[in-house]
Amino acid sequence: MNRLRGFRLRAGMTQAELARAIGTTQSHVSEYESGARRIETMPAGEFVRLKAVLDVTDALLLDADLSGIDPDAVAAAENRVARLRRRLRRRRDRASFDLLVEAELDLARRMDEREEVVARAMGSRA
C-alpha cells in the first residue's frame, strides 16, 4: 500500500476530503498516491498542510528508511490509550487514571523511539 494512502486511510479521509484540507484537487491526491506525482514536488504550502492534517513527519511522508520502527507497536499503544481514555470517562477512578498515565508514557516512549529512527534515516539521506 502506498505510504500516503495509508496515512490518509488512517486519518479516515477520502481523497477528496484530503484534497480540500490541503488545498489541491482529488486528482492530484490520487496522482501522489499512485506515484504519478512525487510528493517531493508538492508545493511547500500543500506539503506543510498535508503533514499537519495527517499528523506525520517529513521523513514518514518522504519514505525514509524506517526499518527500525515497529508500526504495530505504536498503533497498539495508541489504541490502548484511546481505550483507557474511554474507560476513565466512564469510571473516573484512580486505577483507571493510573493505567492511562502508564499507557500515555509508553506511547510517548514509542513515539520518541520512532522519531529517533526517522532522524537517523533522514541523516543518512543527506
Side-chain angles (χ1 to χ4, degrees):
M1 177 186 304
N2 175 281
R3 184 175 297 256
L4 176 58
R5 181 173 185 258
F7 291 132
R8 176 180 58 79
L9 292 175
R10 184 187 74 178
M13 301 178 83
T14 65
Q15 287 181 346
E17 290 168 336
L18 180 59
R20 278 191 300 277
I22 67 171
T24 192
T25 64
Q26 180 273 326
S27 63
H28 281 177
V29 171
S30 176
E31 291 169 352
Y32 288 124
E33 287 186 3
S34 71
R37 286 180 184 258
R38 294 176 46 100
I39 292 178
E40 292 88 344
T41 65
M42 181 181 281
E46 287 178 20
F47 186 77
V48 169
R49 288 188 295 273
L50 180 67
K51 289 184 347 178
V53 167
L54 297 179
D55 190 27
V56 295
T57 64
D58 297 9
L60 290 173
L61 278 174
L62 298 175
D63 204 20
D65 176 15
L66 305 176
S67 56
I69 294 176
D70 179 1
D72 293 335
V74 173
E78 289 172 333
N79 289 336
R80 182 167 186 245
V81 166
R83 281 192 316 274
L84 289 170
R85 285 179 181 167
R86 288 190 301 271
R87 176 181 166 175
L88 183 61
R89 282 195 297 270
R90 286 190 316 269
R91 294 187 185 178
R92 296 191 181 268
D93 63 345
R94 182 63 189 210
S96 297
F97 176 80
D98 290 343
L99 286 172
L100 177 58
V101 169
E102 178 185 313
E104 291 274 9
L105 290 171
D106 179 57
L107 176 58
R109 181 184 54 79
R110 291 178 186 279
M111 292 179 80
D112 285 346
E113 289 170 357
R114 179 174 65 182
E115 289 302 317
E116 288 174 17
V117 169
V118 168
R120 283 194 307 272
M122 290 304 290
S124 68
R125 291 182 95 196

